[in-house]
Amino acid sequence: ALMLAASPLLAQDSGAPGATAAPAKQAAPPTGDLLTTAAAAGEFKTLARAIDAAGMTEQLQGGQFVTLFAPTDAAFAALPPGTVETLLKPENQAQLKQLLSNHLVPGYATSAFLAQQSNSVMETVGGGQVAINTADGKVTVSGAHVVTADVSATNGLIHGIDKVLLPADRQASSSAAPTGAF
């Protein structure tokens, strides 16, 4: 696989013919910041709770312009029982913040831009990397399918994904993770 450090900072959706089709759902123009927009979407309630517990509210209401790969409520529900509750505990705030920071990439990475980045790697705000791939016109981010694309916020862009992006050493064994093993 070709490894690139894709830079979405200058990414613009050119709307060019032949661009890969985006996933099924497309959203309206921005009406609020990332956190407000995610909360209003209705499918990111657990993420909103996690952002609050991680102390990242101010970061996602302002700060740098970022793209958020937002796990849906169903993605959090698919984690082993007790995992979310454990992550939300105050003593796990640093781990939760690191986990969520690895769902953020600097800049404005539209679905059209992501579709052109197949077989590449993007650096996250948390210092990790996410792998971008495209198959049959659908974008995946480190194996998570983009299920809601291009939800615009005043300070970034949201792509809903169908799984929580766990640290690399946890991804292969996430179904067998004991409660609180983060």
Side-chain angles (χ1 to χ4, degrees):
L2 175 65
M3 303 240 330
L4 309 172
S7 177
L9 291 173
L10 301 175
Q12 296 293 321
D13 184 355
S14 66
T20 305
K25 296 187 218 172
Q26 294 284 326
T31 58
D33 58 63
L34 284 166
L35 187 56
T36 302
T37 302
E43 62 184 327
F44 305 112
K45 292 180 179 121
T46 306
L47 177 63
R49 284 182 28 224
I51 289 167
D52 184 53
M56 297 175 68
T57 301
E58 286 184 27
Q59 179 182 357
L60 293 178
Q61 287 180 327
Q64 68 179 1
F65 204 79
V66 295
T67 297
L68 170 60
F69 296 111
T72 62
D73 290 335
F76 278 104
L79 291 172
T83 301
V84 172
E85 293 76 16
T86 299
L87 286 170
L88 294 176
K89 291 181 178 179
E91 62 267 24
N92 295 326
Q93 183 180 32
Q95 289 175 305
L96 181 58
K97 184 172 185 171
Q98 182 64 45
L99 177 78
L100 295 175
S101 292
N102 283 313
H103 286 77
L104 297 166
V105 296
Y108 193 79
T110 65
S111 59
F113 173 79
L114 293 173
Q116 296 170 1
Q117 303 306 308
S118 193
N119 298 317
S120 68
V121 172
M122 296 175 78
E123 301 292 326
T124 68
V125 170
Q129 297 179 329
V130 290
I132 307 298
N133 287 294
T134 306
D136 299 322
K138 299 193 187 308
V139 174
T140 59
V141 180
S142 294
H145 295 91
V146 175
V147 296
T148 305
D150 300 326
V151 178
S152 294
T154 56
N155 62 331
L157 191 66
I158 301 169
H159 296 293
I161 56 175
D162 67 354
K163 74 178 213 181
V164 177
L165 304 177
L166 301 175
D169 62 336
R170 304 285 311 140
Q171 289 192 24
S173 62
S174 65
S175 61
T179 303
F182 290 89

